[in-house]
Amino acid sequence: MDKVTLVFIENLALADIIISLLFYMPMLATVPSGMWVFGGATCWFTGFFSSHVPFLAQILIIMSISVYRLWVVKKPSEVRKRIDVRHFKMSILFIWLIAFVPVIFWIASKAEAFFFTRGLICWSTNHVPTSPTYLSTKIFSAFYVAIPMCIVFVTSVMIMYTIILHTLKAGRSLVPHLRTLLTVNLICWTLLVSYFPLFVLIVLKSTGVPIPNWFTLFQIYAKSIQVVVNPFIYVATNLRFRRCITRLFRVDRRTMIPDTPVSPSYQEVDNQEMTGRVIS
C-alpha cells in the first residue's frame, strides 16, 4: 500500500474517531435519561458539527480513495511520475473544508439545534420538512451522499474487474494486489452498506413519498456500521495500523517488575553455545 492511500485511510480513521466520540458517545449517554444532559451549547455543536462534518468528510475521503486506486490500477506508470504526497495532503485539507460548507450555510440561514427524542441526539432544524432550509438539505444530501456513493460503487467494481482482467491476461498472481484490493474494497463496500438506508431516504424524499419515523431512526443508526467495522479492517489488512494497536496494548514486563532479570531468548542461548564451541 502506497503512502497516498495511507494518508487517505489515516484521515478516514480520524473521521471515525470524531464520529465515535462526538456523535455516538453523547447519543449513548442520553439513553438512560431519555433527554439531553450536556447543555445547550453542546447540543448546538453536536447538531451542526458532529452530525454533519465528520460524516460528510468520511464519504468524500472514501470516494477519493476509490477514485485514486482506480487511477493507480489503470495507469500505474502515470501515477509514479505525477504522485506527490504533499498534493494529496492538500486535497485532504480541501475535503475537510468542503465538509463545512453545508454547516456554514445552515448557520448563516439561522437554522437551530434541537433534541431529537426518537434518535436520542441533538439535530438541526434543516432536517425538518417545514423548515425553510429543508430544500438545501436535500440538495446537499444528493451532492455529498448520493453522487459519491454512486462513484464509490462504480469505481470499486471497475477496480476489481481491471485487476482480475489484467492478471489473467498477464498470467500473474493476484497475491501482490490482494492486500490493497481487500482494504480499499472492504472500506468502500462497508460505506455502501452503512449509507444505503440514507441513500434510499434521499430518493424517497425527492419523490415526495412520506417517510415513516422508524426508517428515519434506522438510517441514523445504520451509519454506525462503518464506524464499528472500519477499525477491524485497518488492523486486519494493514501492518502499519496493526503495529500501532500492538504498541498501545503491549505490556512490557520489565517496566512492571524491574527487579526481575530477563532471561535470554532461545536464539541468544543457541548463539552463545555455538560461539563457545567455535572458540573451543
Side-chain angles (χ1 to χ4, degrees):
M1 188 175 297
D2 56 76
K3 294 181 180 180
V4 174
T5 305
L6 283 174
V7 170
F8 280 125
I9 292 180
E10 286 169 354
N11 278 269
L12 181 60
L14 175 62
D16 291 336
I17 292 172
I18 294 175
I19 292 170
S20 301
L21 295 179
L22 301 182
F23 185 78
Y24 285 112
M25 291 299 290
M27 180 186 293
L28 293 176
T30 59
V31 171
S33 60
M35 58 183 295
W36 187 256
V37 295
F38 299 103
T42 308
C43 183
W44 184 90
F45 179 82
T46 303
F48 284 100
F49 176 81
S50 307
S51 58
H52 293 102
V53 174
F55 287 101
L56 300 179
Q58 183 186 59
I59 297 173
L60 295 177
I61 289 171
I62 293 177
M63 182 190 69
S64 302
I65 292 174
S66 61
V67 172
Y68 169 73
R69 292 310 307 179
L70 181 62
W71 183 34
V72 171
V73 170
K74 287 283 189 180
K75 299 181 179 180
S77 58
E78 183 179 340
V79 173
R80 294 190 189 97
K81 293 179 182 178
R82 298 186 180 184
I83 189 170
D84 190 345
V85 179
R86 291 175 297 178
H87 294 165
F88 285 93
K89 288 183 178 179
M90 293 299 297
S91 66
I92 285 288
L93 177 61
F94 181 72
I95 286 173
W96 281 100
L97 293 176
I98 287 294
F100 276 92
V101 171
V103 176
I104 294 174
F105 176 83
W106 290 323
I107 293 174
S109 302
K110 297 181 180 180
E112 299 178 354
F114 68 98
F115 180 64
F116 181 44
T117 54
R118 291 189 179 90
L120 297 176
I121 194 67
C122 279
W123 214 238
S124 52
T125 53
N126 57 280
H127 293 280
V128 179
T130 56
S131 172
T133 57
Y134 184 67
L135 177 61
S136 66
T137 302
K138 294 196 291 185
I139 296 173
F140 283 129
S141 298
F143 180 77
Y144 283 89
V145 181
I147 296 176
M149 281 186 63
C150 294
I151 294 174
V152 168
F153 175 77
V154 173
T155 52
S156 61
V157 171
M158 291 180 66
I159 288 171
M160 295 178 64
Y161 173 78
T162 304
I163 289 182
I164 293 174
L165 183 64
H166 174 74
T167 304
L168 292 176
K169 284 185 177 181
R172 298 178 182 177
S173 173
L174 275 172
V175 174
H177 307 283
L178 282 180
R179 186 179 298 276
T180 304
L181 177 66
L182 184 64
T183 303
V184 172
N185 277 279
L186 282 177
I187 290 173
C188 290
W189 285 98
T190 305
L191 168 77
L192 295 175
V193 172
S194 301
Y195 282 86
F196 184 74
L198 179 58
F199 181 82
V200 174
L201 186 69
I202 294 171
V203 174
L204 292 178
K205 283 184 177 180
S206 63
T207 57
V209 177
I211 311 298
N213 292 330
W214 68 265
F215 188 79
T216 303
L217 180 62
F218 172 73
Q219 63 89 17
I220 294 175
Y221 286 96
K223 290 185 292 185
S224 64
I225 296 174
Q226 177 156 349
V227 180
V228 174
V229 174
N230 273 348
F232 293 97
I233 298 175
Y234 304 148
V235 174
T237 61
N238 190 275
L239 181 61
R240 183 171 177 176
F241 281 94
R242 190 157 58 246
R243 286 176 177 173
C244 178
I245 296 298
T246 303
R247 291 193 195 101
L248 289 175
F249 291 97
R250 185 172 54 194
V251 178
D252 192 347
R253 294 182 179 180
R254 286 176 290 184
T255 58
M256 296 178 60
I257 313 174
D259 296 334
T260 303
V262 180
S263 59
S265 63
Y266 291 109
Q267 184 66 39
E268 292 174 352
V269 172
D270 292 340
N271 292 338
Q272 291 174 3
E273 291 180 355
M274 183 61 70
T275 305
R277 291 173 184 172
V278 172
I279 294 174
S280 61

